[in-house]
Amino acid sequence: MNEALARPAVVSRISDLIGYTPLLELCRTETGSCLLLKLEMYNPTGSAKIRMARAMVDAAERDGTLRPGGRIVESTSGNTGLGLAVIAAERGYTFTAVVDNHAAADKLRGMQALGTELVYVVDDGTEELATAAREELAEDMARGQDNTIFTEQHNNPANGVGYFPVAHELHQALDGQIDVVIGAVGTGGMLCGTTRELRKLIPDFSTIGVEPKGSIAFGGPAHDYYQSGTGTPEGAEIGALVDFDLIDEGVKVGDIEAFATARALARTGLLIGGSAGGVVHEALTRLPALPPGSTMVALINDGGEKYMDTVFNDDWMNARNLIDPALEREIDEKITKLRRI
């Protein structure tokens, strides 16, 4: 590996372990096209979002809005909050996360374990996704407070910058041989930040954005969805980092398909999150139609360990009519067939 992108053998901070995540070849077609998974769960906190959490804090320190002993406030469904919790703990900041009960319980417990103050925008136990209300409260809490920042992940340019290293890691690992990048679109930071930087290195590849059915970034209709940490729900503004000029095609994947894919992949030994299941579902659908010898890279935001109470819990899935054993078997068979080639 190039020295510039190699992790030191011994590090002194948890954040020094960010990046350098592996690529896993999930499957390959008879024509030599392959699907590679960029496994971001190998970052600290098990998610890509610690990359942008660090970048947002770095930017606030550089411009002087965050100084020693300061406070960070963010609206989060979990993974961004976990990342900010680690950075805050390392650097001596107080971190307040504005949350709702749509977030996976393990993410909320994890933030608390790391010293985060949780503030619930809705505290009646409802699972409704309250993105707009969370962001409004977070902004209000930071407004006018000395040495306090609302990192505002959906509109913070540093979010996208935090993913520039992903582009360099992919370029180096694959010698520039990348034809398609596919990933989830929530804040837009990961997919659009990676694409923006990668296009400086590789001019000719396509980018596919995936959001849940019910999300509005790629049009309606809007309705509730259970995929966590992704999409733009009704009532929330599409983030400034969702750059449609960088996304060649936007598609939607339903909760049932996304979760069935995550559950099928678990039986191969790989645990990924529910929204990552949506990305892989779309990637598997597209892979056979790619030109021979193509390389598709799927950005896998997080692992499945945080979803034991939801995606991987039959009772939870059945209660919401999200489980489809026949579809899981179909995906299982598709992966198995491609892995044998």
Side-chain angles (χ1 to χ4, degrees), residues 101-251:
N101 287 299
H102 181 84
D106 278 353
K107 294 179 184 178
L108 300 175
R109 288 191 286 261
M111 283 189 279
Q112 284 187 305
L114 290 164
T116 301
E117 174 194 22
L118 298 185
V119 175
Y120 286 83
V121 68
V122 178
D123 202 17
D124 59 3
T126 178
E127 293 181 343
E128 181 181 352
L129 181 59
T131 303
R134 286 199 328 247
E135 292 179 0
E136 182 178 350
L137 178 56
E139 185 175 14
D140 286 346
M141 291 179 69
R143 185 182 294 113
Q145 299 299 310
D146 181 54
N147 199 15
T148 299
I149 62 164
F150 170 34
T151 41
E152 198 179 0
Q153 61 174 311
H154 284 84
N155 295 304
N156 190 328
N159 177 343
V161 173
Y163 294 107
F164 286 1
V166 178
H168 291 274
E169 292 170 27
L170 291 174
H171 180 256
Q172 177 180 276
L174 300 173
D175 295 322
Q177 301 302 307
I178 302 172
D179 300 286
V180 181
V181 174
I182 184 168
V185 176
T187 68
M190 184 176 190
L191 185 64
C192 293
T194 300
T195 295
R196 185 179 299 281
E197 188 70 3
L198 193 57
R199 286 192 177 166
K200 298 176 184 177
L201 307 169
I202 307 171
D204 189 21
F205 68 94
S206 61
T207 294
I208 311 299
V210 180
E211 69 173 350
K213 288 181 179 177
S215 176
I216 61 171
F218 301 132
H223 56 74
D224 292 343
Y225 56 86
Y226 287 99
Q227 292 173 63
S228 176
T230 188
T232 306
E234 188 174 22
E237 292 185 8
I238 298 171
L241 301 170
V242 180
D243 188 338
F244 294 102
D245 289 336
L246 294 173
I247 301 173
D248 296 290
E249 187 179 352
V251 298

Side-chain angles (χ1 to χ4, degrees), residues 44-94:
T45 72
S47 165
K49 293 199 173 182
I50 195 170
R51 293 183 186 259
M52 62 92 148
R54 178 175 63 180
M56 292 191 299
V57 174
D58 285 345
E61 290 176 340
R62 284 194 301 270
D63 67 22
T65 56
L66 185 63
R67 304 178 301 282
R71 183 187 188 195
I72 301 165
V73 182
E74 181 56 271
S75 159
T76 176
S77 61
N79 280 330
T80 299
L82 286 165
L84 285 169
V86 168
I87 304 303
E90 283 188 342
R91 302 186 189 186
Y93 299 123
T94 299

